[in-house]
């Protein structure tokens, strides 16, 4: 079956058609996400978010022939969102010393 037919069927709510589309594109989506994020788990999360967005927004896709480019853009946007989300939760670690206390020393190895 041609990709355009699958896109039209998936946009109409056909889960099997969308599963076929997702299966045929998942490797390329993951490769792109991994190249951007350089982390296996974050790339998997970004792919999942992109595919969820594709399922949700597929009825708004005007040109089924542009599905590849559209999905590519969804993956890139999901990577950016994933990157922003992790930066928000990373914090700088500072060592605070109490006045008069000796610093913590490592045991000899």
């Amino acid at each position: 079956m041609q990709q355009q037919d699958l896109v039209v069927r998936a946009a109409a709510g056909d889960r099997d058609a969308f599963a076929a589309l997702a299966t045929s594109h998942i490797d390329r989506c993951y490769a792109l996400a991994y190249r951007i994020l350089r982390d296996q788990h974050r790339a998997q999360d970004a792919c999942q978010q992109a595919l969820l967005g594709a399922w949700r927004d597929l009825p708004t896709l005007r040109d089924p022939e542009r599905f590849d480019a559209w999905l590519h853009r969804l993956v890139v946007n999901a990577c950016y969102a994933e990157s922003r989300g992790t930066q928000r939760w990373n914090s700088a670690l500072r060592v605070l010393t109490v006045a008069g206390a000796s610093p913590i020393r490592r045991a000899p190895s």
Side-chain angles (χ1 to χ4, degrees):
M1 182 168 275
Q2 287 188 349
Q3 178 174 307
Q4 292 175 5
D5 295 332
L6 289 174
V7 172
V8 170
R9 287 181 37 212
D14 185 344
R15 291 180 183 199
D16 293 330
F18 185 77
L21 282 171
T23 301
S24 67
H25 287 83
I26 192 67
D27 290 336
R28 282 182 280 166
C29 290
Y30 176 77
L32 173 62
Y34 186 80
R35 280 192 306 260
I36 294 170
L37 295 169
R38 300 284 185 212
D39 181 87
Q40 175 184 359
H41 300 293
R42 290 171 57 201
Q44 289 171 351
D45 289 345
C47 284
Q48 183 176 9
Q49 289 305 314
L51 288 173
L52 285 172
W55 173 250
R56 181 189 63 229
D57 297 336
L58 192 55
T60 65
L61 180 64
R62 288 178 266 168
D63 186 3
E65 292 179 8
R66 301 289 301 153
F67 178 78
D68 289 335
W70 180 72
L71 183 59
H72 182 275
R73 178 50 45 193
L74 289 176
V75 171
V76 170
N77 289 342
C79 288
Y80 290 156
E82 180 69 26
S83 179
R84 282 190 306 270
T86 6
Q87 289 176 355
R88 217 175 302 139
W89 292 103
N90 288 340
S91 64
L93 179 65
R94 293 186 295 196
V95 177
L96 302 176
T97 57
V98 178
S102 63
I104 299 174
R105 299 183 192 266
R106 288 189 173 177
S109 0

